[in-house]
């Protein structure tokens, strides 16, 4: 792939001082037993990390890249796959997506996954985070609808990765809830918990002999708030102020149920790790009037909503959420809080059920308290509950995505907040990336990664945050949800106009090749 595009890439070289490509295959070696991470995830490179060396990532630190099923696979109704909420939404409401695009074919990874693996290998990534399409293997959610072809597809993908010494990191659910389950209420229904457990059991049974790193849910804040609160994203459920809290509750219960299931049935044989991936920004004060309590409030309403029940010493939802939402519910003359109650036994069931915290970092915001009184005459929502107003610093550069302002220091800020709040948990950065128009000479993406890796390195080496890896979003260009194919995050360009969906490395792929080869951040 690299050689075929050498001419176009050479054009970019004049201003980028990376070495010409040398094939680098990650070497898997054992890391010391005290390592917090399954040794298979470590690239065990020749990085010379001496005590006091703050330029290199530690030897246990791994680099990987990420995708999600609906965004890359295509084959939306092949081999018995049933529709997910995203198939339904893009087909029934094409007007909601830029260019009326959808994931029917996407990057065609269902048929071209070996091209994705070739790309991962070429860069030298040690692991690949991908998601499984629930409706491809259990279109009706449970075992009565098991599709062997779906199992076979993921078997091939996992085996091919392992053959290249690339460790599979599997997300169980990345937004694409089976439509069949959505008809029963989806994640807002308590039924969801049992279905998710059956699904996870199926995954452990079929793939757990080879997959040791599992992520139950991806970015529940985003799909609960947009999908079940504001109804502006799949599955388009409009119930602001209520639906998002129900959804989140079942995310937490289903996550914990799967963790307990793994402990009871699989952990002793498969010895893997189970985590969850959360999203969230870091927050900075608008001016002196915004105190640390306001920053903390913002972080708790976003990340703490999920992290506090799982990682805090006390468990349960953050007290600030419990108090505020109960108060607002009372003002609205409700007889119960819109935030579901976590009884002591539920708190205990959820608390401590994660071996690591997956975290997606992209951007940050300025924040201040909303000076207005709580207004009961407009519909409730999580944003009204927070009582905060967000803004951006005009100095922050913006990517193609209208929400993606470049604030590298925010990554270090959040990692230190995790350290303080949750006693320095094991963190895997499960996504980090930059959107643009998709050109091969992606200097801005390289700049973004360089600045973020610098902050990460400082968080690991200076602040001693327990971060074990970094995952780029994404290895290839893909379907960016409501933005269709108009915003590109890939390290590899995908030609969406060609039936062969050729993958071509961008300059950022070379940048990562250099990071991985040296264990440090190259000068650019
Ligand atoms: C996070 C989501 O997990 C992923 O699906 C999405 O494409 C990226 N953010 C970029 O928006």
């Amino acid at each position: 792939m690299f050689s075929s595009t050498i001419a176009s890439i050479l054009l970019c070289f004049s201003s980028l001082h990376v070495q010409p490509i040398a094939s680098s295959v990650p070497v898997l070696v054992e890391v010391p037993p005290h390592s917090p991470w399954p040794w298979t995830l470590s690239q065990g490179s020749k990085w010379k990390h001496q005590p006091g060396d703050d330029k290199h990532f530690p030897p246990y630190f791994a680099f990987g890249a990420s995708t999600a099923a609906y965004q890359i696979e295509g084959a939306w109704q092949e081999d018995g796959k049933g529709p997910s909420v995203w198939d339904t939404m893009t087909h029934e409401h094409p007007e909601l997506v830029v260019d009326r695009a959808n994931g029917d074919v996407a990057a065609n990874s269902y048929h071209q996954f070996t091209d994705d693996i070739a790309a991962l290998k070429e860069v030298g990534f040690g692991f690949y985070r991908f998601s499984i399409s629930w409706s491809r293997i259990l279109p009706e959610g449970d075992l009565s609808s098991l599709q062997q072809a779906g199992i076979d597809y993921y078997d091939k993908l996992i085996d091919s990765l392992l053959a290249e010494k690339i460790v599979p990191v599997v997300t169980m659910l990345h937004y694409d809830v089976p439509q069949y389950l959505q008809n029963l209420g989806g994640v807002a229904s308590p039924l969801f918990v049992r279905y998710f457990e059956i699904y996870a059991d199926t995954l452990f049974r079929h793939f757990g002999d080879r997959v040791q790193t599992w992520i139950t849910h991806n970015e529940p804040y985003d799909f609960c708030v947009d999908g079940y609160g504001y109804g502006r994203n799949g599955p388009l459920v409009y119930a602001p102020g209520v639906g998002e809290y129900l959804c989140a509750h079942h995310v937490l219960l289903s996550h914990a149920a799967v963790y307990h299931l793994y402990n009871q049935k699989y952990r002793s044989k498969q010895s893997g790790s189970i985590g969850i991936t959360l999203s969230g920004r870091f927050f900075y004060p608008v001016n002196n009037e915004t105190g640390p309590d306001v920053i903390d409030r913002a972080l708790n309403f976003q990340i703490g909503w999920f992290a506090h029940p799982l990682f805090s010493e006390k468990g349960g939802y953050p007290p600030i959420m419990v108090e505020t939402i109960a108060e607002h519910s009372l003002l609205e003359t409700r007889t119960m809080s819109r935030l579901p109650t976590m009884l002591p036994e539920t708190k205990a069931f959820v608390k401590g059920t994660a071996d690591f915290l997956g975290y997606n970092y992209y951007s940050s915001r300025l924040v201040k308290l909303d000076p207005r009184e709580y207004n009961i005459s407009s519909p409730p929502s999580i944003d009204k509950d927070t009582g905060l107003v967000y803004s951006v610093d005009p100095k922050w550069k913006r990517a193609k995505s209208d929400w993606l302002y470049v604030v590298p220091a925010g990554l270090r800020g959040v990692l230190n907040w995790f350290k303080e709040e949750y006693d320095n948990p094991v963190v895997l950065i499960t996504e980090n990336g930059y959107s643009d128009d998709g050109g091969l000479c992606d200097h801005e993406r390289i700049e973004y990664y360089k600045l973020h890796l610098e902050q990460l390195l400082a968080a690991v080496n200076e602040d001693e945050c327990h971060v074990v890896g970094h995952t780029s979003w994404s290895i290839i260009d893909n379907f960016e949800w409501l933005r269709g194919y108009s915003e590109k995050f890939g390290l590899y360009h995908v030609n969406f106009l060609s039936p062969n969906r050729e993958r071509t490395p961008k300059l950022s792929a070379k940048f990562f090749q250099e990071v991985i080869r040296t264990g440090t951040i190259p000068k650019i």
Side-chain angles (χ1 to χ4, degrees), residues 68 71 129 174-175 218-219 360 362 401 403 431 473 478-481 489:
Q71 296 179 271
R129 172 182 179 239
H174 196 123
Y175 303 169
N218 176 69
E219 297 200 342
N360 293 353
Y362 287 90
S401 310
W403 52 270
E431 284 181 35
W473 181 272
N478 56 55
F479 176 78
E480 177 56 13
W481 308 112
F489 281 87

Side-chain angles (χ1 to χ4, degrees), residues 493-510:
H493 173 271
V494 174
N495 184 355
F496 290 104
L497 300 175
S498 149
N500 297 329
R501 298 291 195 275
E502 293 86 1
R503 278 84 163 137
T504 307
K506 302 179 189 175
L507 264 191
S508 54
K510 295 172 191 301

Side-chain angles (χ1 to χ4, degrees), residues 158-368:
I158 292 165
D159 288 343
S160 311
L161 285 166
L162 291 173
E164 298 298 349
K165 296 191 169 31
I166 298 170
V167 173
V169 171
V170 176
T171 309
M172 295 179 178
L173 184 59
H174 196 123
Y175 303 169
D176 50 352
V177 174
Q179 183 59 44
Y180 185 93
L181 291 185
Q182 188 52 43
N183 297 346
L184 302 172
V187 195
S189 160
L191 269 180
F192 176 83
V193 178
R194 181 69 190 123
Y195 273 98
F196 192 70
E197 205 183 335
I198 293 167
Y199 168 51
D201 197 6
T202 312
L203 301 185
F204 294 146
R205 194 166 55 249
H206 287 280
F207 310 123
D209 56 336
R210 287 153 294 153
V211 174
Q212 286 190 299
T213 312
W214 296 97
I215 292 162
T216 53
H217 293 278
N218 176 69
E219 297 200 342
Y221 177 94
D222 302 72
F223 78 77
C224 287
V225 170
D226 286 337
Y228 291 90
Y230 293 122
R232 58 189 172 203
N233 226 320
L236 299 180
V237 174
Y238 177 78
V242 177
E244 62 270 55
Y245 295 131
L246 274 177
C247 168
H249 200 64
H250 301 136
V251 161
L252 287 163
L253 293 182
S254 61
H255 166 87
V258 165
Y259 189 85
H260 292 301
L261 167 80
Y262 193 72
N263 283 352
Q264 282 147 20
K265 267 177 87 172
Y266 297 100
R267 193 182 285 275
S268 63
K269 278 174 269 155
Q270 301 184 351
S271 32
S273 309
I274 315 253
I276 187 168
T277 281
L278 305 181
S279 59
R281 313 193 189 297
F282 192 58
F283 297 97
Y284 294 94
V286 169
N287 53 34
N288 294 343
E289 281 161 37
T290 307
D293 52 322
V294 177
I295 304 291
D296 221 51
R297 185 184 178 99
L299 286 161
N300 266 309
F301 263 92
Q302 215 171 60
I303 307 179
W305 184 9
F306 301 92
H308 195 277
L310 290 165
F311 295 95
S312 72
E313 211 184 305
K314 290 211 169 122
Y317 290 118
I320 187 73
M321 288 187 77
V322 177
E323 287 153 26
T324 312
I325 301 165
E327 204 179 289
H328 292 171
S329 303
L330 208 63
L331 289 172
E332 292 151 7
T333 67
R334 294 172 199 265
T335 51
M336 59 181 189
S337 175
R338 287 183 275 101
L339 182 72
T341 305
M342 268 209 199
L343 296 171
E345 56 270 30
T346 314
K347 276 188 197 169
F349 181 74
V350 174
K351 190 169 95 84
T353 59
D355 300 312
F356 65 94
L357 169 49
Y359 176 58
N360 293 353
Y361 180 79
Y362 287 90
S363 194
S364 289
R365 289 290 181 271
L366 301 177
V367 70
K368 65 173 185 182

